[in-house]
Amino acid sequence: MSLIGGIRPPIAVLSALVLSLAGITALSLGTPDDGRVPEAVRLSQQYVAEDAAIALRASLDESRTDLTRTAALFNQGPPASPDTVLDKVGSVYQKWRGTAVIEIRSGKLLGARGENVPLAAIDRTRLDGADGLAPRVVRLPDGQSRLLTLALLSWDGRPQQLLIGASSLNVPGVTLGAHRAIGVVAADGRVVGSRGALGDAADRERLASFGRTAAERAKQNPISAKQPGAGGYPGVSGHLAAGASDGGQSVAGYASLAGATPGESAGAAGLGLTVVTQVRVAAPAGQLAGPAFGLAAAVALLLIGGLAVLLLLSTVQRPLIRLFLESRRLTRGDLARPVTVPRSGEAARIGAALERLRRQLRGAPAESTAEPAPRRHRFGARALLAVGAVLLLAWSVPLMLLLNRADDGVRIPTQTVRDQKTRTATLGDRMRRALDEGHADLAAVADLMGEPTSPDAMRTVLARAAQDHPRYESLFVRGPDGEVLARAGRAPHTTPGKGPSDKRFQVSGHGGAKPVVTATAEIPGRRGTAVVGEFRIDFLNGLLGRPGLGEVRVVDAEGRVIGSNTGYRAFQRRPDHLAPLLAKKEASAAVQRDGGTVRIVAAAPFTGGGAAQDLTWTVVSSQPAAALAIPEYTRQNHTVLVGLLGVTAAAACLGWLHIVVVRPLRALAVHAERLADGDRRTVLFPRHHDEVGAVTRSLELIRQQLQNQQRPHDGAPRASAAAGRTP
């Protein structure tokens, strides 16, 4: 018999699937909670670490770009004194703990600002190598660490100089709260920077332990470290948990500094740093549910599935196998014993036809074997399959639609709400810093354009700035009469006859397809002339794309949407459910329950000063609680999944049985009745090598025997056919 076409395989597979699904049900729905911190809380710590790693990498890369670009701009002009260079670096970018300029050949210190820069950590003989100017982490005698950023100062006729900037390794812009600590870990597992809730030695040791584990895991390949198809953060990230104690548990998230693509090691991504966050979480109040439901559902499936399989065995498989044996007996010439006719369905019709054919083979004419009133077999094989499907669906559908539903009273972990606020505030600070850095870049460019600067020189400087900073869609110099003196990038959105704005930031484009965000920096010595940069709105929206935060929007003081990580209309009104949070002056978060929908919402206004503070923007996020790995929703999802598996198993096996058995069996019943009624011309071809095909072959042999009986031989039927007549 063919494995695919036989009647036994689909019923056997259905039995195996029922047993497997019962085990899955007992394990997924019947395993009691072990008192661990919910997956949503642990995964949130990973996201917090990823956000911090992105912020740190952006800050370090921006520092390197700023220093390199400042040196390049000075290199294009006349030679400048070290004090002039250091004063310019300090006035435009207030991020350096210390700066210095040294002569590379002699190592002589030419100028310094701020704290002492560890010059001994720089090997001047290797600066011309491939990574000679790459940033590096050095350790100070007091145990602190500094990141050194290098850039060359080079003018014709003067010895080359090295511009050095030293900065700390603290993660910028991450709101920690009262219970969180954050640390930056080197490749050897040493904590090189930390802050937050590290009140005692136990907390510091726990962070160090998490850091060592995270540094070891960060050595993995970023692609192989994730599950297939996971995507998301391009570096290595994850979460860790310590043992529970004193009614709580310490949970950590970690993320290695990574470039835009997995495996990239340029800039800060090549420093081998990993960000680790640590938070103390209260232990769950109690178990969500015991194993009784899962065990009861598994037992119910075994009973219902066993009943469905027994029904198919007794009413479909056994009658068909009996027909196969009876038809083969007739082809061997065993005609003395009547055919055993099944009780109902197509099998009964075929069995009745075989009995009539047996009598015809014994010499009776077809007319004499015809039944005067054929029985109507109302319960055929299709009806039996339908009964089996109803039995299995009676178990699956309630699991899919009714049982273990999470209502709007679901418990949301407090730490999840805190993390939503923390991450939203971090995202807001990240955008504010990006805008501030953009304005600082314009101010640095403006400082190089004095009264004698020609339009050609302006275009050169603007083109270099646009190349170094892709955040701008257009860079241009605007005169007091509104004339564009020089530009780089796309044509700007300008109003003819109107000079540059006196505001550092401005938003325009009302009624258009997208907002236009511009930054303005006046050129010293040229009153009314300014460098203006238009930000790419895609750059701003790209800053908002973080997993686990849901829909993130940036709204202005009037509640109009400026940017979002999803589709939106420019300047559309913010959703009404965000209004209570927008009225607050500081970062906040809340759980909103509305008509069965549970959301975690958070808002964080721009704070911290800087040029972007003038925008009075607020970053808001809204995350459906159903998208989080909260125990109630996880249990609901598992229940729905088990129900879907039950429907799939029933549809697959019963559909398989209908295609390979029931439909051919119904067609065979029609052919068998026609043959018993006297149709000797229709040749019967078996379509499958299975039980139905075997019965079809037997009927074809019987047809040939009956056809031979009808041929005249010496004026009488053949003796071989008459030998078995009833006396």
Side-chain angles (χ1 to χ4, degrees):
M1 299 302 170
S2 172
L3 178 62
I4 297 179
I7 191 173
R8 295 181 180 89
I11 297 179
V13 170
L14 178 61
S15 303
L17 290 179
V18 167
L19 291 174
S20 301
L21 186 56
I24 293 174
T25 302
L27 291 176
S28 61
L29 302 182
T31 303
D33 295 340
D34 55 4
R36 295 191 305 167
V37 173
E39 177 69 17
V41 175
R42 288 179 280 142
L43 191 60
S44 182
Q45 308 318 307
Q46 175 181 337
Y47 290 151
V48 171
E50 292 176 358
D51 294 344
I54 291 174
L56 179 59
R57 180 185 62 81
S59 176
L60 298 182
D61 284 343
E62 191 69 33
S63 298
R64 183 187 185 190
T65 302
D66 292 340
L67 203 69
T68 303
R69 186 184 55 79
T70 301
L73 292 176
F74 273 108
N75 292 337
Q76 293 176 2
S81 66
D83 289 336
T84 301
V85 174
L86 295 177
D87 289 341
K88 181 64 65 176
V89 171
S91 64
V92 176
Y93 303 105
Q94 293 82 23
K95 65 178 66 176
W96 308 103
R97 298 184 67 93
T99 54
V101 175
I102 64 172
E103 186 180 286
I104 296 178
R105 182 186 304 172
S106 63
K108 179 181 178 182
L109 177 64
L110 303 178
R113 296 289 186 275
E115 71 177 23
N116 294 331
V117 177
L119 302 178
I122 301 174
D123 188 352
R124 293 178 285 107
T125 62
R126 298 185 178 182
L127 294 178
D128 57 348
D131 297 326
L133 296 177
R136 61 207 65 189
V137 178
V138 298
R139 191 171 187 179
L140 302 180
D142 60 359
Q144 299 186 52
S145 298
R146 293 289 183 265
L147 176 73
L148 299 186
T149 306
L150 313 178
L152 284 178
L153 293 172
S154 180
W155 296 282
D156 292 337
R158 287 196 176 188
Q160 277 191 326
Q161 301 172 7
L162 185 66
L163 174 61
I164 308 169
S167 57
S168 62
L169 285 170
N170 290 330
V171 180
V174 177
T175 304
L176 300 181
H179 306 285
R180 186 187 302 278
I182 190 168
V184 180
V185 182
D188 58 0
R190 176 172 50 90
V191 178
V192 296
S194 63
R195 63 187 177 93
L198 296 170
D200 53 23
D203 291 333
R204 292 189 290 272
E205 176 57 31
R206 193 176 297 112
L207 180 64
S209 176
F210 283 140
R212 289 189 292 270
T213 303
E216 187 65 28
R217 295 190 180 185
K219 297 177 183 178
Q220 305 176 79
N221 185 287
I223 298 177
S224 61
K226 292 183 173 61
Q227 296 180 355
Y233 187 69
V236 179
S237 61
H239 51 77
L240 305 167
S245 62
D246 298 331
Q249 186 175 13
S250 293
V251 184
Y254 64 90
S256 63
L257 267 63
T261 58
E264 181 181 341
S265 59
L271 295 173
L273 300 178
T274 302
V275 175
V276 179
T277 66
Q278 170 184 294
V279 68
R280 182 74 171 175
V281 181
Q287 294 184 355
L288 176 64
F293 179 83
L295 295 178
V299 171
L301 176 60
L302 291 176
L303 294 177
I304 293 176
L307 181 60
V309 170
L310 182 61
L311 176 68
L312 295 175
L313 287 175
S314 60
T315 59
V316 180
Q317 177 175 307
R318 290 178 183 174
L320 181 56
I321 294 176
R322 172 60 64 181
L323 289 178
F324 161 67
L325 297 175
E326 292 288 350
S327 63
R328 192 167 62 175
R329 175 173 67 85
L330 297 184
T331 59
R332 292 199 304 263
D334 185 0
L335 308 176
R337 181 163 46 88
V339 173
T340 302
V341 180
R343 295 182 179 181
S344 62
E346 291 80 6
R349 294 167 56 189
I350 297 172
L354 285 176
E355 173 58 23
R356 293 171 59 193
L357 292 172
R358 182 190 71 83
R359 286 182 281 167
Q360 292 175 25
L361 288 173
R362 293 173 63 90
E367 295 79 2
S368 65
T369 62
E371 296 181 358
R375 292 182 295 170
R376 302 293 296 176
H377 305 288
R378 290 179 291 179
F379 294 100
R382 287 195 303 186
L384 296 173
L385 287 186
V387 172
V390 168
L391 289 174
L392 295 175
L393 292 179
W395 181 85
S396 302
V397 171
L399 292 176
M400 291 174 53
L401 303 177
L402 300 176
L403 301 177
N404 280 345
R405 301 294 96 178
D407 55 19
D408 57 1
V410 62
R411 296 174 298 175
I412 305 298
T414 303
Q415 187 61 45
T416 302
V417 182
R418 291 174 180 168
D419 291 340
Q420 186 80 10
K421 181 181 73 172
T422 296
R423 298 189 63 206
T424 304
T426 301
L427 208 56
D429 189 83
R430 179 185 172 196
M431 175 167 281
R432 182 189 61 81
R433 287 175 180 272
L435 293 172
D436 284 343
E437 290 285 352
H439 186 272
D441 294 336
L442 296 182
V445 172
D447 284 342
L448 298 175
M449 295 182 181
E451 183 64 32
T453 307
S454 66
D456 289 340
M458 290 180 180
R459 280 190 288 269
T460 301
V461 174
L462 293 177
R464 184 177 183 87
Q467 181 180 3
D468 291 340
H469 301 284
R471 62 166 63 95
Y472 302 108
E473 186 175 67
S474 176
L475 281 173
F476 57 96
V477 177
R478 194 170 189 178
D481 57 354
E483 180 185 1
V484 177
L485 304 179
R487 73 177 177 90
R490 299 181 59 179
H493 299 79
T494 59
T495 302
K498 186 177 180 181
S501 173
D502 57 352
K503 297 180 179 179
R504 293 179 292 183
F505 278 95
Q506 189 175 20
V507 181
S508 59
H510 301 278
K514 60 182 181 180
V516 179
V517 181
T518 59
T520 304
E522 187 176 9
I523 298 177
R526 302 185 65 163
R527 187 172 180 82
T529 304
V531 178
V532 182
E534 293 183 358
F535 288 87
R536 290 191 301 110
I537 197 65
D538 292 340
F539 164 76
L540 298 179
N541 291 337
L543 298 176
L544 305 176
R546 292 297 302 133
L549 273 179
E551 187 172 10
V552 183
R553 301 178 180 89
V554 177
V555 299
D556 60 14
E558 299 178 10
R560 298 173 300 184
V561 178
I562 305 298
S564 176
N565 63 345
T566 59
Y568 69 103
R569 291 185 295 106
F571 302 105
Q572 72 182 73
R573 296 293 300 175
R574 49 97 182 108
D576 293 337
H577 66 85
L578 297 176
L581 293 177
L582 293 176
K584 299 182 179 180
K585 302 301 182 182
E586 57 184 13
S588 59
V591 178
Q592 294 182 344
R593 307 175 190 270
D594 181 18
T597 301
V598 182
R599 291 185 295 262
I600 305 175
V601 295
F606 276 14
T607 57
Q613 184 67 24
D614 299 342
L615 291 172
T616 63
W617 285 356
T618 301
V619 177
V620 294
S621 63
S622 177
Q623 170 78 319
L628 301 176
I630 295 174
E632 287 83 350
Y633 289 112
T634 300
R635 189 172 179 82
Q636 172 181 302
N637 295 337
H638 286 173
T639 305
V640 172
L641 177 60
V642 168
L644 285 173
L645 291 176
V647 171
T648 302
C653 295
L654 297 182
W656 180 10
L657 195 61
H658 181 267
I659 292 173
V660 303
V661 175
V662 174
R663 285 201 306 186
L665 189 64
R666 289 173 60 84
L668 179 60
V670 174
H671 290 305
E673 290 175 341
R674 289 177 180 175
L675 179 60
D677 290 338
D679 182 6
R680 306 292 187 260
R681 295 175 178 268
T682 303
V683 179
L684 304 179
F685 295 100
R687 297 182 180 271
H688 302 285
H689 297 288
D690 56 8
E691 295 87 354
V692 177
V695 176
T696 304
R697 286 193 297 270
S698 297
L699 288 176
E700 172 59 20
L701 294 176
I702 293 174
R703 184 193 69 81
Q704 294 175 9
Q705 293 179 19
L706 292 174
Q707 195 175 45
N708 291 335
Q709 285 184 219
Q710 292 179 349
R711 294 175 181 173
H713 182 70
D714 295 334
R718 298 183 62 170
S720 59
R725 289 182 181 177
T726 304

